[in-house]
Amino acid sequence: MTTPTSLDTATTWPAPSSKPHRPLMPAMLRGARGRCPACGERALFDGYLTVKHSCSACGEEFHHHRADDAPPYFTILIVGHIIVSLVLAVEVAFVPPMWLHVALWVPLTIASSLVLLRPIKGAIVGLQWAFYMHGFDPDAEPEDAVMLPVGHPR
């Protein structure tokens, strides 16, 4: 006779969600292209990095997204790896003077950061939409609700 393990008795899986599946990659690709992650019809941005309040085609609201520091973080991560690799390769291969390094890499770093920042932000908003995060879940409680301890008088 076998004894039950902690896995047999303690593991309970959450019930399947009744929400419709939102495909991750199409949502992130639409967001990266600056389109609505839900329908892909209208623009996601109202400026360079300002996310629109809602989609004028499907009505999906975007005002509650929380991209925050993720787009700059991923931009720095990607650009840093690319630029540092190129700087080291050029230094080893050609040994250029320092002024040439500055003249080449500073503008290239700034330009590539500005080019990547918007698509990365759009992809993050698409990811949040696909995973029902930060207000994209119509069944979620408002994030503004204050959590009071049990027994706290209101």
Side-chain angles (χ1 to χ4, degrees):
M1 182 162 160
T2 61
T3 59
T5 64
S6 63
L7 233 98
D8 296 332
T9 57
T11 304
T12 58
W13 299 100
S17 176
S18 62
K19 298 176 197 134
H21 174 70
R22 293 177 174 174
L24 176 63
M25 286 311 292
M28 289 183 69
L29 290 173
R30 287 179 192 143
R33 288 192 319 259
R35 310 307 278 166
C36 170
C39 68
E41 295 296 319
R42 298 284 194 265
L44 176 63
F45 295 102
D46 200 19
Y48 176 62
L49 287 177
T50 305
V51 177
K52 286 188 172 192
H53 185 279
S54 63
C55 177
S56 58
C58 68
E60 183 70 41
E61 293 183 351
F62 305 123
H63 63 86
H64 38 59
H65 81 88
R66 296 285 183 265
D68 299 332
D69 292 337
Y73 173 80
F74 289 118
T75 301
I76 291 168
L77 184 75
I78 293 167
V79 170
H81 279 82
I82 293 170
I83 296 296
V84 168
S85 299
L86 291 173
V87 167
L88 292 174
V90 167
E91 177 64 29
V92 169
F94 304 109
V95 192
M98 189 56 68
W99 67 267
L100 189 58
H101 274 299
V102 172
L104 179 64
W105 303 117
V106 170
L108 191 58
T109 302
I110 293 170
S112 57
S113 296
L114 292 174
V115 166
L116 283 177
L117 188 57
R118 187 175 184 194
I120 290 173
K121 183 170 184 173
I124 296 292
V125 173
L127 176 127
Q128 291 175 357
W129 175 83
F131 285 157
Y132 289 94
M133 297 169 66
H134 307 297
F136 288 111
D137 184 357
D139 302 330
E141 294 180 19
E143 291 184 3
D144 305 11
V146 176
M147 299 294 290
L148 297 174
V150 176
H152 186 276
R154 291 186 181 223

